[in-house]
Every structure is written in structure tokens, then in C-alpha cells.
Amino acid sequence: MLKEFQKYSVVITDTSCFILLDKINALEILQSVYKNVVTTPEIAAEFGKPLPDWILIKAVKNKQRQFLYSGKVDAGEASAIALAMELPSPLLILDDLKGRNLASQLNLSYTGTLGLLVLAKNAGIIKELKGYFDKIADTDFRVSPALLQTILEKSGE
């Protein structure tokens, strides 16, 4: 399954992915799954902590497009989506529904932080999801316990 995501030349991560992975001490999973991780200065500022050196911070060139998207989604998502429109074969990591809807309207590929964890398990990078999902449940990340249970069941846990 990891090969499926290797078709993307770059992965653009929104703030929620950084925050959640940081809270559950799993930021290294992002690097293990995706080698070319990019974010924007806006997202780096929203995260509020220094990002690891392996994450490239790249500014959006078309600020008008970014401004247009900011009327539909938050500033970080607007910058991520605008940057995705400027790069070849991008994959976005977005957890917010409004951001996913805009990405879908623009025919951009996306996944979420939970999708990243599932991919890491399927690729053998992590052994199980349950421990990570238990940690997620202890954070303020909004996700339905039923969704987490469904993912665990589909993953054979």
C-alpha cells in the first residue's frame, strides 16, 4: 500500500497533522511514510514549535489564490491547498472537512492523519493502531470513537 502513495512527488501537511502527531509523540511516522514533506510558513507559525529539519517550509507564490481560499477555509489550509495547486503530484494531509471539500472540488488528492497512521501500519512502520488511537482519545483531536473502532476493525485489531 505504501507504493500507492509513492506516486506523489510531495506531501503537504496541514497544522492538525503536526499538532496531533506531536501530542502523541509520533511525528517521526510522517517522515517514515513520506520522504518529501512540505508545509507553508503559515502552517509552521500555527504549529508554534520548531519543525524538524526534514520538513521543507515553502511559501505560496500565488497569494491571490491563497487569499481566495482563505474565504472558504482557515489560513493554514488555504496556504496548503494553494501550494498544492503550484506543485506537481501533491498529496495533502487535511483533517478538517471544509479543507477536504475544497481539495476535492479542486481535484487534489488528500488523506488525513488517521489515514497516515493506517498507511504506516499497512507498510509495517508501526505494529498496531490501537495504542496510537488510545493516545489520540486523550487529546482534544475531534474524532468519533465509532470511527476509530471501525478503522481498528477494518485493520484487523
Side-chain angles (χ1 to χ4, degrees):
M1 177 139 176
L2 190 57
K3 289 179 182 174
E4 172 188 337
F5 286 95
Q6 290 174 339
K7 67 183 176 183
Y8 301 106
S9 65
V10 64
V11 174
I12 303 167
T13 308
D14 189 26
T15 315
S16 64
C17 180
F18 290 139
I19 291 171
L20 183 59
L21 292 178
D22 184 59
K23 284 182 179 181
I24 65 170
N25 297 313
L27 199 54
E28 73 283 348
I29 293 173
L30 182 61
Q31 183 184 30
S32 297
V33 174
Y34 303 113
K35 303 303 179 211
N36 192 7
V37 180
V38 177
T39 198
T40 66
E42 293 84 357
I43 292 167
E46 282 182 4
F47 180 57
K49 295 181 180 182
L51 288 167
D53 292 341
W54 48 267
I55 298 172
L56 176 65
I57 298 175
K58 186 172 179 66
V60 174
K61 292 178 184 172
N62 186 336
K63 296 296 183 182
Q64 286 183 314
R65 177 184 288 147
Q66 183 176 342
F67 179 75
L68 174 68
Y69 296 162
S70 69
K72 300 176 182 189
V73 296
D74 78 25
E77 290 163 339
S79 68
I81 293 168
L83 183 60
M85 295 296 289
E86 297 176 358
L87 299 175
S89 307
L91 175 68
L92 288 157
I93 300 181
L94 299 169
D95 292 314
D96 183 76
L97 183 59
K98 286 182 183 179
R100 288 170 170 242
N101 286 341
L102 179 57
S104 183
Q105 290 170 12
L106 298 169
N107 295 315
L108 293 169
S109 298
Y110 63 85
T111 190
T113 306
L114 298 178
L116 164 71
L117 292 172
V118 169
L119 183 61
K121 181 189 179 195
N122 291 341
I125 293 167
I126 61 174
K127 292 182 180 169
E128 61 149 17
L129 294 169
K130 186 168 182 350
Y132 292 99
F133 285 8
D134 289 345
K135 290 179 183 180
I136 289 170
D138 290 336
T139 71
D140 58 354
F141 187 76
R142 291 181 289 171
V143 62
S144 156
L147 175 60
L148 294 177
Q149 187 57 42
T150 299
I151 294 170
L152 289 174
E153 288 170 6
K154 287 186 177 186
S155 297
E157 290 188 41

